[in-house]
Amino acid sequence: MRLIGQLISFAVLLLSQTPTFGSIDDAYLAELIAKSRQLRLAERPEWRKLVHYVPNLIAPGVHGMVDGPQFYNAPDGKDNPQSELEATLASFNSDIEESDTQQNPQCLFVARYAWLDEQLGFDPQRLPRQVCKRYQNWYAGLNPSGLTLIFASAYLNNPSSMYGHPLLRVDAKDQGDHTRLLAYAITFAANTNETNGIAFAVNGLFGGYSGVFSVMPYYVKVREYRDSENRDIWEYQLNLDAGEVDRVLRHTWELGSTWYQYFFFDENCAYHLLSLLQVARPDLDLTGRFRWWAIPADSVSEIARQKDMVKKVVYRPASATVIHHRLKGLNDQERRLARDLSMKRISVGDPAL
């Protein structure tokens, strides 16, 4: 009883510090907090990965990798997993109505809500579930059945892609080889249009850009990578079940409204894509060996070496790669004819052809 009383007092104090939350059943919040502590949910890898906590390099404890303040519900949520979990539970009874400019916390943190509901079994009478129409429409548009890791080879003319670039393709249920271009892609990149390599390097080294997750049509990236920039593409179809795919997509929705500081060598596209993927299987530690630097090709290798993680690999060469390959099969005379034809020195009706 003494513990329950202390937890109720804590809940009242917490609510007084977070006025955006609606009226809440203090007793029920205290029950949820007590149960979460009993189960030690804040120490579980599922929670640590959902809030992107990593061990501090020197001092004891952990810190959150996300830099957008709206990602945390507790004032000390970036450094205190237990405090953040309890503040998140309190936020779920918010009376905020969904609109084009705001979301109810149940909808904003849809992955956290789903996992905490699985662990604590929310009572819908005491904690009514919100209808998250924006998330539901977004999810229905993706129509997901699986995920494929895409890796585009290096492109030296773009400083942000000089080591290659990974992204995730969301494979739709009715997708085939002829319609895969109509799928959607999840990508992480620095929020900048910088084309000056020196300026990008300086800002990228010292966190001068914000890094964001975005979802866009896959054909846009294919057109950019393979057709415009002549970059080879490798596709790694991931061996994930429906529940694992849903966990990744729910968390993608959460990350779409926040940002990270972007660092070129470590907190880059490779690192954060791995941090997103490991939400599918919290027992995986995909980012552990990339604390100092994360090269995109190495991150793809990390996925490939995981047991039962990849079920199919497809290589899609760029147009220039195909041309170079065909040129290797020609003799000197045939190469001269091809060159003359391309420069319009001869016509297609020339007898030499």
Side-chain angles (χ1 to χ4, degrees):
M1 293 298 294
R2 181 177 179 181
L3 174 62
I4 295 297
Q6 290 174 341
L7 291 174
I8 292 176
S9 298
F10 170 80
V12 173
L13 177 62
L14 179 64
L15 290 171
S16 68
Q17 294 176 342
T18 52
T20 57
F21 301 157
S23 60
I24 191 167
D25 184 338
D26 292 344
Y28 186 50
L29 174 60
E31 290 175 23
L32 293 175
I33 290 175
K35 187 175 180 180
S36 74
R37 290 187 172 185
Q38 180 183 10
L39 296 174
R40 303 177 74 169
L41 295 185
E43 301 175 22
R44 296 268 290 273
E46 294 94 331
W47 180 250
R48 298 293 176 98
K49 288 179 169 60
L50 280 174
V51 195
H52 294 257
Y53 290 116
V54 296
N56 294 329
L57 291 175
I58 300 176
V62 298
H63 66 277
M65 299 288 284
V66 180
D67 294 296
Q70 70 274 26
F71 190 72
Y72 304 99
N73 291 290
D76 60 344
K78 190 176 176 70
D79 306 301
N80 190 329
Q82 184 66 42
S83 178
E84 179 60 22
L85 189 148
E86 294 174 9
T88 299
L89 286 172
S91 77
F92 287 157
N93 204 56
S94 168
D95 57 4
I96 292 176
E97 294 185 3
E98 186 177 69
S99 69
D100 292 339
T101 58
Q102 66 180 7
Q103 296 184 75
N104 186 280
Q106 288 188 23
C107 306
L108 181 62
F109 302 111
V110 64
R112 298 190 204 182
Y113 180 90
W115 182 72
L116 288 169
D117 188 19
E118 289 174 3
Q119 306 305 312
L120 300 174
F122 295 150
D123 183 348
Q125 299 301 317
R126 304 178 74 180
L127 182 61
R129 184 163 190 167
Q130 301 293 322
V131 178
C132 304
K133 292 183 179 179
R134 286 172 56 183
Y135 169 74
Q136 291 172 357
N137 291 338
W138 177 82
Y139 184 91
L142 296 176
N143 190 27
S145 68
L147 295 173
T148 296
L149 177 65
I150 306 295
F151 177 72
S153 61
Y155 181 62
L156 297 182
N157 287 342
N158 186 338
S160 65
S161 297
M162 60 189 305
Y163 291 108
H165 185 72
L167 55 95
L168 278 178
R169 188 181 69 210
V170 183
D171 297 320
K173 292 178 180 178
D174 55 355
Q175 178 180 305
D177 285 341
H178 298 294
T179 59
R180 63 180 175 81
L181 290 176
L182 302 179
Y184 285 89
I186 302 169
T187 184
F188 180 87
N191 188 18
T192 176
N193 294 318
E194 183 63 69
T195 58
N196 183 294
I198 296 177
F200 180 86
V202 171
N203 286 307
L205 284 173
F206 297 102
Y209 300 121
S210 60
V212 295
F213 277 95
S214 57
V215 178
M216 62 184 65
Y218 179 56
Y219 73 83
V220 172
K221 304 306 293 182
V222 171
R223 184 173 58 191
E224 173 188 344
Y225 291 156
R226 195 180 67 182
D227 300 336
S228 299
E229 299 177 351
N230 282 313
R231 299 165 70 175
D232 296 338
I233 293 176
W234 286 263
E235 301 178 356
Y236 298 83
Q237 189 177 358
L238 301 179
N239 187 27
L240 302 177
D241 61 33
E244 292 169 335
V245 171
D246 281 352
R247 280 197 287 274
V248 172
L249 293 180
R250 284 195 293 261
H251 194 45
T252 300
W253 177 261
E254 292 182 338
L255 295 175
S257 59
T258 191
W259 54 274
Y260 302 75
Q261 272 190 289
Y262 181 91
F263 292 92
F264 184 72
F265 284 118
D266 51 2
E267 296 180 41
N268 55 24
C269 60
Y271 182 91
H272 288 302
L273 205 65
L274 289 178
S275 72
L276 171 62
L277 270 177
Q278 65 186 7
V279 168
R281 297 179 183 174
D283 57 319
L284 293 177
D285 181 15
L286 299 177
T287 60
R289 72 185 188 96
F290 296 107
R291 291 301 303 276
W292 297 102
W293 61 80
I295 304 300
D298 291 342
S299 68
V300 174
S301 298
E302 182 69 15
I303 293 292
R305 76 181 186 88
Q306 300 297 323
K307 184 179 180 181
D308 298 327
M309 192 70 174
V310 177
K311 61 181 177 181
K312 184 180 179 181
V313 181
V314 177
Y315 169 56
R316 301 191 183 279
S319 300
T321 302
V322 174
I323 291 173
H324 285 301
H325 176 73
R326 291 174 178 173
L327 281 173
K328 289 181 180 179
L330 301 180
N331 58 38
D332 290 342
Q333 180 184 7
E334 291 168 337
R335 290 184 185 183
R336 284 195 295 270
L337 288 172
R339 180 194 59 195
D340 291 343
L341 183 62
S342 67
M343 300 178 70
K344 298 184 179 180
R345 293 174 180 173
I346 60 176
S347 68
V348 293
D350 192 287
L353 291 174

